[in-house]
C-alpha cells in the first residue's frame, strides 16, 4: 500500500498489533548474546594504543619491547596495513593507524594481539612513541574563518551549505536575535564496541561485530585489507544500543588485521573509557539567529549562521551540515530565509551521527528564538508557533513542497490541552535533588515550556537509498513457514519484530523466522535516519508480494476456503529477492540550497513541566508530554518506546549530558562524570500518537525514532526559563547557569 492511505486490517501478530519482540524474553533474563559475549577456541585478545595528545607529530615508533612480552603474538603499526590506510563514511580521510600525525586524543597508533587482555595491556605500555606536541585547533568558528593550521589538505571546512529563499534584504517590525550553543553529547549506548575476527581457510576473514551498517563496514575493511569483497564476510553480533555511534568503524579493521597477521581468531572489546574515545559524538554547535516578524507574530524572515564542530575527521559531518541547514528554520512557514551552515575540522574528538542528526542543534536554537518572539509580540508561546506552523502543502526553504500530513499546529494544541501535573507537594522523590534531601521546597519554582521539531526521514540529497530483502515460503512440520533475510541491523529498535509483522500481514503465515543479518545478501543501508522500517520494511513487503504472485502462478490448487495454504503449497518452495527504493531525492543547489532533498518529514511536539531550585541550581523535570504524528503505528507499543527513549535523550542534553573537553582532550570519559538520565530522572509521560498516513510510504508509516529527541530539549529549557527568567542560551543547562547573580 505504498501509494494509498487505504487502511490495512490488523491481523494477529501483524501490522498494527503489539507483537512481542522475539529477543525480549532473553534480554530481560540476561541470556541474550551480545557481541562482547562472542568466544572462539584458541582466540587472542586485541587492544589499541591511542594517542594521549589532541594534536602531535609522530617522529618515531619503537615496538621491540612490546613484542618481547611473553604471550604477545603481534604488534602492528601503519606499516602493516596491506591496503589503503584511509577510511571514512563520506571521505576516506581517517587513517586505520596513524602515520606521521595524530589529530585527536585517542587516535589509534598501534594494535596488539596477545593471549590475555592484561598481557596486551602490558605490551601497549612498552610501545615507545616519540611525539612532537602541537597547538590544537579547538574552535569550529575560528577554524572556518581560517585561523590556525590546516588540519587536512583541503583546509578546515568539511562542508558549507547555504540556503537562500525569497528577499534577502527583507525587514520586519519585530526582530529578535540570539547566540546559542549545544554541547557535545555522547550516544552512551550500554554495550561498548566489540567483535570477533576469525581467519578463514580461503585467506579471507569472517567478522562478527556490533554495527549499524554491515555493507559500508565491509567496503571500508576490504579497502584496508586489500582483499576482494567475497573474502570479507560480516555477520551482525548482538548490539547493545547504537543511536548513530556505530555507523563509523571502531574495532573492525584492527581485529581483522590482527587475525590475518596471527592466523588466529582475535576478539576486541573496549572498556567504557575507551568507548568514549573510540566512537563519534554529537556535533557541538554555535549558532547565530535573527528572526523578523510582523506585529502579529507572523514570521517575515529568518537569518542564521551555524557552526558545527566535526572534530578531527569528516565522518558524516557533510550530511549533518545539510540537515542542520535545510531544517534550520524549523516546522514553520518562512517566506524569506538566509541560512549558512558550516562543518569544521578541529582537533576535538570526531563527531558524526547521533539521533536527530543536525536537526537537534538547529531545533534548540530556532525554538529558543520562537519563545523570544512570543515575548516580544506579547503572545502565548504556543500561539506564536501555531500562527507560523507549516501544514501539508507548505514549501520548505529549499523549495520542496511538503506533500503529506504536517499537523504541526494540531500537535502543539494537543500537548497544550493535556492535563497538567498536580501542584508540587513536599515529597523528596519529586523534589529537585531527590532523596539527597537538598531542599524542603524553599526556593523551588515551577515552569512550563513548549517545543516542536521537524526531522527528515531516510537518506537525502540524491543518495541511492535502498534495501534488499529475501522471503522464502514453504511448509515445515506441516505448517506454512516464512523465512526473511536482510542485512538490516537490529540494534535494539525492534526491526526484527516489525519484519515479522509485515510477513504475517502479507502472507497470512504465523511462523516467521528472521535470519541473522550478514553480507551474504545485498545491502540494506544503515540503521539510521529513522529509515529501516520504511526502506527494509518496504523491501520485505515487496518480496512478500512477489512471493504471493509466484504462489498464484506456480500452485495448481487455488486458495479457497476449504484448501489451506499448507495444502496448496505441498512440497513447493517459493523464494523471492527484491531490491526496493523509495521515491528519489535530488542534490542541493550549491548556491541557493534549492532541491527536493528529503524523502519524508516527521514532526513531534513536547510540553515540559519543571521544578527548579533557584538556590542550588537543581532541576526536576516533573512532566514531559508529547504528541507525534507517526503516519501508521505498525507496532503501537514499540512506537511508544521510541518516543519515550528519544525524549529521554533530549532530557539528557537539556540538563546533564556533555562531553567536556579542554585543549581537545576529554575531561569526563566515564559514566561517573558523564551523566545520563536514569529512571529517577525521567518523569511520567502522556503521549498522544497521531496516525496521519503518508500516501508515499509503505502502510502510510512515518519514521518515529528521531523527532522526539529534537523537540524535548527546547521544551525543557523553555520551562526552566519560564521558572527562572534567565536567558539560558546553552545546553546542557548546569547548576551554575541557574545560580548566578540575577
Amino acid at each position: 500500500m505504498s501509494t494509498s492511505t487505504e487502511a490495512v486490517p490488523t491481523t494477529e501478530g501483524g501490522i498494527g498489533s503489539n507483537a512481542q519482540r522475539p529477543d525480549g524474553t532473553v534480554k530481560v533474563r540476561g541470556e541474550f548474546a551480545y557481541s562482547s559475549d562472542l568466544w572462539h577456541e584458541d582466540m587472542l585478545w586485541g587492544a589499541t594504543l591511542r594517542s594521549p595528545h589532541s594534536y602531535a607529530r609522530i617522529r618515531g615508533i619503537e615496538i621491540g619491547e612490546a613484542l618481547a612480552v611473553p604471550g604477545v603474538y603481534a604488534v602492528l603499526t601503519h606499516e602493516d596495513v596491506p591496503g589503503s590506510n584511509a577510511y571514512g563514511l563520506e571521505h576516506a580521510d581517517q587513517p586505520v593507524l596513524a602515520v606521521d600525525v595524530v589529530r585527536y586524543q585517542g587516535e589509534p597508533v598501534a594494535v596488539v594481539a596477545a593471549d590475555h587482555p592484561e598481557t596486551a595491556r602490558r605490551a601497549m605500555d612498552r610501545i615507545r612513541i616519540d611525539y612532537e606536541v602541537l597547538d590544537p585547533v579547538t574552535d569550529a568558528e575560528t577554524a572556518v574563518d581560517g585561523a590556525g593550521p590546516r588540519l587536512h589538505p583541503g583546509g578546515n571546512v568539511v562542508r558549507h551549505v547555504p540556503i537562500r529563499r525569497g528577499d534577502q534584504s527583507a525587514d520586519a517590525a519585530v526582530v529578535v536575535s540570539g547566540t546559542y550553543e549545544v554541547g557535545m553529547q555522547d550516544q552512551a549506548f550500554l554495550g561498548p564496541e566489540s567483535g570477533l575476527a576469525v581467519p578463514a581457510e580461503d585467506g579471507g576473514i569472517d567478522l562478527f561485530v556490533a554495527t549499524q551498517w554491515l555493507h559500508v563496514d565491509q567496503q571500508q575493511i576490504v579497502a584496508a585489507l586489500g582483499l576482494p569483497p567475497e573474502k570479507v564476510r560480516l555477520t551482525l553480533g548482538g548490539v547493545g544500543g547504537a543511536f548513530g555511534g556505530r555507523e563509523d568503524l571502531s574495532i573492525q579493521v584492527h581485529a581483522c588485521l590482527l587475525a590475518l597477521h596471527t592466523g588466529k581468531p582475535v576478539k576486541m572489546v573496549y572498556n567504557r573509557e575507551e568507548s568514549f574515545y573510540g566512537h563519534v559524538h554529537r556535533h557541538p554547535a554555535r549558532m547565530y539567529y535573527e528572526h523578523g516578524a510582523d506585529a502579529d507574530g507572523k514570521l517575515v524572515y529568518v537569518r542564521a549562521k551555524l557552526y558545527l564542530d566535526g572534530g578531527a575527521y569528516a565522518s558524516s559531518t557533510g550530511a549533518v551540515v545539510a540537515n542542520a541547514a535545510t531544517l534550520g528554520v524549523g516546522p514553520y512557514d518562512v517566506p524569506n530565509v538566509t541560512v549558512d551552515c558550516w562543518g569544521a575540522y578541529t582537533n576535538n574528538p570526531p563527531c558524526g551521527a547521533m539521533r536527530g542528526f543536525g536537526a537537534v542543534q538547529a531545533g534548540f536554537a530556532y525554538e529558543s528564538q520562537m519563545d523570544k518572539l512570543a515575548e516580544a509580540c506579547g503572545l502565548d508561546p504556543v500561539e506564536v508557533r501555531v500562527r507560523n506552523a507549516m501544514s501539508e502543502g507548505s514549501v520548505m526553504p529549499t523549495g520542496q513542497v511538503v506533500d503529506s500530513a504536517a499537523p504541526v499546529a494540531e500537535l502543539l494544541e494537543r500537548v497544550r490541552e493535556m492535563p497538567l501535573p498536580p501542584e508540587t507537594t513536599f515529597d523528596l522523590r519529586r523534589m529537585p535533588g531527590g532523596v539527597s534531601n537538598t531542599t524542603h521546597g524553599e526556593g523551588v519554582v515551577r515552569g512550563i515550556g513548549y517545543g516542536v521539531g521537524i526531522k527528515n526521514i531516510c537518506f537525502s540529497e540524491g543518495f541511492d537509498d535502498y534495501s534488499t530483502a529475501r522471503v522464502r515460503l514453504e511448509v515445515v512440520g506441516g505448517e506454512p513457514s516464512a523465512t526473511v533475510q536482510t542485512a538490516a541491523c537490529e540494534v535494539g529498535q525492534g526491526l526484527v519484530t516489525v519484519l515479522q509483522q509485515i510477513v504475517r500481514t502479507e502472507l497470512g503465515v504465523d511462523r516467521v523466522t528472521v535470519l541473522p543479518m550478514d553480507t551474504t545478501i545485498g545491502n540494506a543501508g544503515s540503521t539510521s535516519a529513522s529509515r529501516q522500517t520504511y526502506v527494509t520494511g518496504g523491501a520485505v513487503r515487496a518480496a512478500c508480494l512477489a512471493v504471493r504472485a509466484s504462489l498464484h502462478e506456480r500452485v495448481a490448487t487455488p486458495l479457497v476456503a476449504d484448501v489451506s495454504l499448507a495444502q496448496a503449497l505441498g512440497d513447493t518452495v517459493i523464494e523471492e529477492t527484491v531490491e526496493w527504493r523509495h521515491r528519489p531525492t535530488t542534490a542541493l543547489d550549491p548556491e541557493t540550497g534549492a532541491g527536493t532533498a528529503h524523502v519524508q518529514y516527521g514532526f513531534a511536539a513536547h510540553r515540559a513541566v519543571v521544578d527548579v531550585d533557584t538556590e542550588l541550581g537543581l532541576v526536576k523535570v516533573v512532566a514531559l508530554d508529547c504528541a507525534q504524528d507517526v503516519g501508521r503505528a505498525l507496532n503501537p507499543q514499540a512506537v511508544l518506546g521510541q518516543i519515550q527513549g528519544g525524549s529521554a535523550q533530549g532530557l539528557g542534553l537539556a540538563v546533564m549530558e556533555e562531553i567536556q573537553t579542554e585543549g581537545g582532550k576529554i575531561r569526563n570519559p566515564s559514566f561517573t562524570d558523564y551523566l545520563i538520565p536514569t529512571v529517577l530522572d525521567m518523569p511520567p509521560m502522556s503521549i498522544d500518537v497521531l496516525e496521519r498516513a503518508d500516501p508515499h510510504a509503505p502502510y502510510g508509516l512515518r519514521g518515529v525514532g528521531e523527532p522526539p529527541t529534537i523537540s524535548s530539549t527546547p521544551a525543557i529549557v523553555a520551562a526552566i526559563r519560564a521558572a527562572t527568567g534567565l536567558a539560558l542560551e546553552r545546553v546542557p543547562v548546569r547548576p551554575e547557569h541557574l545560580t548566578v547573580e540575577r
Side-chain angles (χ1 to χ4, degrees):
M1 192 199 61
S2 58
T3 59
S4 170
T5 58
E6 174 188 347
V8 176
T10 299
T11 58
E12 185 174 352
I15 292 303
S17 70
N18 290 321
Q20 183 175 333
R21 293 177 61 123
D23 59 352
T25 301
V26 289
K27 284 183 173 177
V28 170
R29 290 177 175 171
E31 298 169 355
F32 183 80
Y34 291 95
S35 59
S36 55
D37 297 315
L38 293 165
W39 197 267
H40 198 289
E41 185 179 354
D42 197 31
M43 74 180 186
L44 302 176
W45 294 82
T48 306
L49 180 68
R50 300 177 180 276
S51 166
H53 307 294
S54 53
Y55 192 32
R57 187 169 290 112
I58 298 175
R59 293 187 292 208
I61 303 175
E62 176 54 54
I63 64 173
E65 287 186 41
L67 281 169
V69 174
V72 170
Y73 283 73
V75 179
L76 307 181
T77 68
H78 67 89
E79 296 177 347
D80 300 296
V81 178
S84 172
N85 188 27
Y87 71 92
L89 282 176
E90 295 181 11
H91 307 286
D93 63 351
Q94 186 162 359
V96 173
L97 293 169
V99 181
D100 54 0
V101 66
V102 289
R103 295 182 175 89
Y104 72 98
Q105 182 197 28
E107 179 155 355
V109 179
V111 289
V112 175
D115 58 6
H116 191 278
E118 180 61 21
T119 305
R121 188 196 65 77
R122 287 191 290 111
M124 286 199 304
D125 289 343
R126 287 164 173 76
I127 299 174
R128 308 301 177 206
I129 302 178
D130 182 11
Y131 289 108
E132 177 190 351
V133 179
L134 306 172
D135 292 331
V137 177
T138 59
D139 183 81
E141 185 175 352
T142 56
V144 167
D145 291 343
R150 293 161 64 95
L151 301 179
H152 290 271
N156 292 342
V157 175
V158 180
R159 188 181 183 187
H160 168 225
V161 174
I163 306 291
R164 302 288 185 269
R165 183 184 181 213
D167 182 358
Q168 299 299 291
S169 59
D171 56 17
V174 180
V175 176
V176 295
S177 60
T179 301
Y180 304 96
E181 293 189 355
V182 173
M184 184 186 294
Q185 188 179 19
D186 188 67
Q187 296 85 353
F189 41 72
L190 298 187
E193 292 80 355
S194 54
L196 176 69
V198 182
E201 291 183 359
D202 65 355
I205 194 83
D206 290 288
L207 178 65
F208 304 84
V209 65
T211 182
Q212 289 178 240
W213 195 346
L214 288 164
H215 281 82
V216 156
D217 283 8
Q218 182 190 44
Q219 292 167 15
Q220 295 172 91
I221 297 166
V222 161
L225 299 183
L227 291 174
E230 63 270 16
K231 288 196 174 183
V232 178
R233 298 165 290 267
L234 275 69
T235 300
L236 184 69
V239 182
F243 314 113
R246 298 188 200 271
E247 274 202 291
D248 297 76
L249 296 184
S250 57
I251 64 97
Q252 286 91 326
V253 178
H254 297 159
C256 291
L257 283 173
L258 291 168
L260 290 172
H261 189 86
T262 62
K264 290 179 173 289
V266 173
K267 178 176 180 176
M268 297 188 78
V269 181
Y270 291 173
N271 61 28
R272 181 57 58 189
E273 179 176 342
E274 186 174 16
S275 181
F276 274 95
Y277 296 112
H279 65 253
V280 298
H281 314 286
R282 189 186 300 286
H283 292 74
R286 183 180 302 129
M287 300 166 287
Y288 301 90
Y289 269 78
E290 180 178 295
H291 281 53
D294 64 22
D296 295 324
K298 189 74 171 137
L299 285 168
V300 176
Y301 69 82
V302 172
R303 297 177 187 133
K305 292 184 178 182
L306 299 84
Y307 298 88
L308 303 184
D309 186 344
Y313 297 102
S315 181
S316 55
T317 291
V320 173
V321 165
N323 273 11
T326 58
L327 307 175
V329 304
Y332 303 111
D333 287 325
V334 187
N336 306 297
V337 175
T338 309
V339 171
D340 287 278
C341 185
W342 291 270
Y345 285 120
T346 68
N347 294 118
N348 291 319
C351 291
M354 185 176 172
R355 193 178 200 162
F357 204 82
V360 166
Q361 294 91 326
F364 171 64
Y366 65 65
E367 284 300 272
S368 299
Q369 283 285 98
M370 294 303 286
D371 282 335
K372 281 189 177 181
L373 183 61
E375 184 177 3
C377 294
L379 293 173
D380 174 83
V382 173
E383 179 59 30
V384 77
R385 289 169 167 84
V386 168
R387 290 188 184 186
N388 292 284
M390 65 166 46
S391 57
E392 186 170 358
S394 288
V395 180
M396 295 292 292
T398 59
Q400 180 174 1
V401 176
V402 180
D403 59 358
S404 65
V408 178
E410 183 180 1
L411 294 172
L412 285 160
E413 288 162 347
R414 281 176 177 256
V415 292
R416 177 169 58 182
E417 292 166 4
M418 290 178 180
L420 286 164
E423 287 299 317
T424 185
T425 56
F426 181 68
D427 182 339
L428 286 177
R429 295 169 298 177
R430 293 178 173 84
M431 285 286 175
V435 293
S436 57
N437 198 24
T438 55
T439 181
H440 287 191
E442 59 273 35
V444 174
V445 290
R446 175 162 288 189
I448 300 172
Y450 293 87
V452 64
I454 180 173
K455 176 66 176 66
N456 64 305
I457 308 298
C458 299
F459 291 155
S460 305
E461 297 187 79
F463 187 89
D464 186 16
D465 192 8
Y466 70 94
S467 184
T468 312
R470 181 176 297 129
V471 174
R472 178 185 177 97
L473 180 64
E474 60 189 319
V475 175
V476 178
E479 292 184 40
S481 175
T483 304
V484 181
Q485 184 180 11
T486 78
C489 295
E490 168 65 70
V491 300
Q493 81 277 34
L495 177 67
V496 169
T497 316
V498 168
L499 299 186
Q500 289 179 322
Q501 291 178 264
I502 290 171
V503 175
R504 291 187 190 115
T505 296
E506 299 298 341
L507 297 183
V509 175
D510 291 332
R511 184 189 292 178
V512 182
T513 302
V514 179
L515 297 178
M517 288 79 174
D518 59 31
T519 52
T520 63
I521 188 170
N523 201 339
S526 174
T527 296
S528 59
S530 303
R531 64 177 289 283
Q532 284 294 9
T533 298
Y534 193 129
V535 184
T536 297
V540 169
R541 180 180 180 274
C544 286
L545 296 180
V547 166
R548 272 169 43 187
S550 183
L551 175 67
H552 288 298
E553 289 176 5
R554 295 165 58 182
V555 175
T557 307
L559 291 175
V560 294
D562 58 346
V563 177
S564 69
L565 178 57
Q567 290 172 320
L569 273 170
D571 295 332
T572 303
V573 177
I574 301 175
E575 183 176 283
E576 298 289 347
T577 303
V578 172
E579 270 188 8
W580 189 88
R581 289 169 169 81
H582 54 63
R583 57 183 179 162
T585 57
T586 64
L588 294 171
D589 181 276
E591 301 297 326
T592 66
T596 305
H598 301 307
V599 178
Q600 183 190 64
Y601 296 97
F603 306 92
H606 278 84
R607 182 190 64 194
V609 181
V610 304
D611 285 341
V612 183
D613 186 321
T614 56
E615 297 177 357
L616 298 175
L618 300 176
V619 175
K620 174 68 174 178
V621 181
V622 177
L624 187 58
D625 302 320
C626 181
Q628 182 170 338
D629 173 29
V630 304
R632 174 75 193 277
L634 272 60
N635 186 313
Q637 194 171 54
V639 164
L640 292 177
Q642 286 293 309
I643 294 173
Q644 290 165 341
S647 301
Q649 285 188 303
L651 183 152
L653 179 60
V655 296
M656 62 182 73
E657 291 190 49
E658 182 179 8
I659 293 178
Q660 299 180 46
T661 61
E662 185 175 350
K665 295 185 177 182
I666 299 177
R667 299 176 58 202
N668 57 333
S670 75
F671 282 166
T672 300
D673 299 310
Y674 182 92
L675 303 180
I676 58 176
T678 70
V679 68
L680 295 176
D681 298 299
M682 273 301 291
M685 288 189 68
S686 295
I687 299 175
D688 198 346
V689 175
L690 279 68
E691 297 188 74
R692 306 287 187 264
D694 181 346
H696 312 286
Y699 305 110
L701 67 86
R702 197 179 304 278
V704 174
E706 293 177 283
T709 310
I710 299 161
S711 50
S712 50
T713 298
I716 292 168
V717 178
I720 301 172
R721 289 194 197 105
T724 64
L726 296 171
L728 302 178
E729 295 182 329
R730 187 185 193 281
V731 288
V733 176
R734 300 190 175 281
E736 60 267 28
H737 301 156
L738 302 175
T739 56
V740 294
E741 288 292 329
R742 292 199 291 267

